[in-house]
Amino acid sequence: MDTSRLTSDRYNDYSSTEASPSEESPPGTISNYVSGPRRYQRLGEDSSSTTWYQTLIHLLKGNIGTGLLSLPLAVKNAGIVLGPLSLVFMGIIAVHCMDLLVKCAHHLCQRNQRPFVDYGDALMYSMQGSPSQWLQRHSVWGRRIVGFFLILTQLGFCCVYFVFLADNIKQVVEAANGTTNDCSSNETLVLVESMDSRLYILSFLPFLILLVFITNLRYLSIFSLLANLSMLGSVIMIYQYIGRDIPDPTSLSFVSSWRSYALFFGTAIFAFEGIGVVLPLENKMKIPHQFPVVLYVGMGIVTILYISMGTLGYLRFGSSIQASITLNLPNCWFYQSVKLLYSFGIFITFALQFYVAAEIIVPAVTLHVHDRWVRCMDLTVRAALVCITCSL
């Protein structure tokens, strides 16, 4: 697969969904792409390309979100034995599917002489190569369906992040008067009613709009690094609390009923939320062939983190575990800071999950406007999408 990327003077952040010109391309370059109203120049290395380290940071950030804090409850719904085993199995399946997706993308690039493909291209070209004539004729619908579900999934994550940010900040504010330095109590108390959660959601809107205006993954990696550090700090603080004074686990359910297992499955699937960012991250790498190593290392870390958090959390709190493990932490400033640190990480994660949906929607809109209005329309569409998620 060619390691070079497509760039544009005005719009170079959506290379996986745009096409490059070909008639004036020098020998040795891939040509004959779908033409568009703007012209692109093919360079050996795009300034927006990311290194393996930056890609690893984005991969971790895209997979470690709000679902991590709900995994102890998920393990409770599955059982202390069946839950961790199921997480191992689901982690293996998730990594295998991500790796298979990247391999298929590479194969389709070589077969169709493309520098890279996005999710919609992957299904469309696969259907075109099918022996079924019906699938060949309707291959374009494959691209549209994949794009629709990707937009639905990624913007759905963004809606959840809005609620998570509002609820956690609201809890910290309302418990502020009763929060002390004494960490002996293990409950988060709400002592003073503050404004409605919807007002907290609205207060985050202008800041998230400004955040999604960062369209370059290279620049966004700086914020992802800060978010990873803040979430790492909060996770370490959670681990040091749940890792001590673990009661006797013999009273816990080893295998739960199939009804509650369905709840486990839904929570665990939500936790593995990073498959939507796999191809965009791989497409933006300077050296795409390094991505499999990044994928295995990153998802290995994520799976270990999921299993340990879910298991230790359930062992520590047992049947009293709540929807988010942060609600079981003591009502002191040390553990209240966990919510603040994790909320900052989720705030940055919003931009990364939003990037996938924007990569599909924004180019389709800007393709029909004059060059001088491309940037303005780009930012307008991004702001409108954030407003929609906020309203939802």
Side-chain angles (χ1 to χ4, degrees):
M1 180 175 172
D2 201 312
T3 59
S4 54
R5 291 291 179 258
L6 302 179
T7 58
S8 169
D9 293 337
R10 309 174 183 85
Y11 194 72
N12 61 358
D13 292 315
Y14 298 97
S15 55
S16 64
T17 55
E18 291 286 5
S20 70
S22 55
E23 294 180 357
E24 298 179 5
S25 300
T29 62
I30 299 173
S31 42
N32 296 325
Y33 297 105
V34 180
S35 59
R38 289 180 301 280
R39 300 192 63 79
Y40 293 78
Q41 182 183 2
R42 188 141 165 94
L43 302 178
E45 187 174 293
D46 189 350
S47 60
S48 66
S49 297
T50 57
T51 64
W52 69 268
Y53 176 71
Q54 292 169 328
T55 304
L56 178 62
I57 291 175
H58 284 313
L59 184 65
L60 292 175
K61 193 72 236 64
N63 282 275
I64 301 176
T66 57
L68 175 65
L69 303 179
S70 301
L71 286 177
L73 180 61
V75 173
K76 174 189 174 183
N77 290 326
I80 193 61
V81 174
L82 182 59
L85 291 178
S86 298
L87 285 174
V88 172
F89 178 75
M90 293 174 68
I92 294 174
I93 293 297
V95 175
H96 171 71
C97 290
M98 292 178 180
D99 181 59
L100 187 63
L101 179 65
V102 173
K103 289 179 178 178
C104 288
H106 288 179
H107 172 73
L108 293 170
C109 286
Q110 296 173 0
R111 191 178 70 181
N112 295 279
Q113 291 297 293
R114 303 276 302 199
F116 40 78
V117 296
D118 60 11
Y119 287 94
D121 289 335
L123 182 57
M124 183 178 69
Y125 291 138
S126 298
M127 292 175 66
Q128 289 177 356
S130 169
S132 171
Q133 294 185 356
W134 187 89
L135 290 177
Q136 294 176 12
R137 291 195 305 268
H138 297 85
S139 60
V140 67
W141 280 101
R143 177 186 180 89
R144 294 170 181 172
I145 292 174
V146 168
F148 171 77
F149 282 115
L150 268 178
I151 293 171
L152 194 66
T153 302
Q154 299 306 125
L155 294 186
F157 287 143
C158 293
C159 292
V160 172
Y161 292 166
F162 258 116
V163 177
F164 179 87
L165 289 170
D167 286 349
N168 276 267
I169 299 302
K170 186 174 187 289
Q171 290 170 4
V172 172
V173 171
E174 292 180 342
N177 290 340
T179 304
T180 65
N181 293 325
D182 180 15
C183 295
S184 58
S185 175
N186 64 347
E187 292 184 359
T188 299
L189 303 176
V190 177
L191 301 178
V192 180
E193 286 291 335
S194 64
M195 59 184 181
D196 189 85
S197 295
R198 287 169 291 186
L199 294 178
Y200 280 95
I201 291 176
L202 193 61
S203 66
F204 281 106
L205 179 60
F207 301 102
L208 288 171
I209 289 177
L210 292 176
L211 182 65
V212 301
F213 282 173
I214 303 175
T215 61
N216 193 319
L217 279 181
R218 174 183 288 273
Y219 301 143
L220 195 59
S221 67
I222 300 174
F223 294 94
S224 289
L225 177 60
L226 294 176
N228 280 341
L229 292 176
S230 67
M231 294 179 74
L232 176 63
S234 63
V235 168
I236 290 175
M237 294 163 68
I238 294 175
Y239 272 117
Q240 67 86 26
Y241 183 78
I242 65 177
R244 50 190 171 95
D245 301 328
I246 296 179
D248 185 7
T250 55
S251 61
L252 302 179
S253 173
F254 286 11
V255 178
S256 298
S257 65
W258 66 270
R259 294 179 183 273
S260 61
Y261 187 80
L263 297 175
F264 160 82
F265 188 79
T267 305
I269 285 294
F270 175 77
F272 285 97
E273 58 187 72
I275 194 168
V277 301
V278 170
L279 282 187
L281 292 180
E282 193 271 346
N283 285 341
K284 286 294 183 179
M285 284 194 71
K286 287 183 179 179
I287 308 177
H289 293 293
Q290 293 179 341
F291 187 77
V293 177
V294 174
L295 177 64
Y296 285 122
V297 172
M299 290 306 300
I301 296 174
V302 168
T303 303
I304 292 173
L305 185 62
Y306 284 178
I307 296 170
S308 58
M309 177 65 76
T311 304
L312 289 176
Y314 182 42
L315 287 174
R316 177 65 174 83
F317 299 111
S319 59
S320 63
I321 187 68
Q322 299 192 47
S324 174
I325 195 174
T326 56
L327 299 177
N328 292 91
L329 298 178
N331 188 47
C332 62
W333 282 115
F334 181 78
Y335 291 111
Q336 287 289 73
S337 64
V338 170
K339 297 179 182 179
L340 298 177
L341 289 173
Y342 211 89
S343 294
F344 174 75
I346 293 299
F347 178 83
I348 302 300
T349 307
F350 184 99
L352 187 58
Q353 298 291 356
F354 181 88
Y355 178 88
V356 179
E359 191 180 44
I360 300 173
I361 298 174
V362 174
V365 176
T366 57
L367 199 65
H368 303 287
V369 301
H370 193 274
D371 288 351
R372 61 180 298 185
W373 298 107
V374 167
R375 189 60 177 173
C376 179
M377 182 59 68
D378 180 350
L379 300 181
T380 301
V381 172
R382 289 172 177 272
L385 289 175
V386 177
C387 290
I388 290 174
T389 59
C390 179
S391 301
L392 291 174

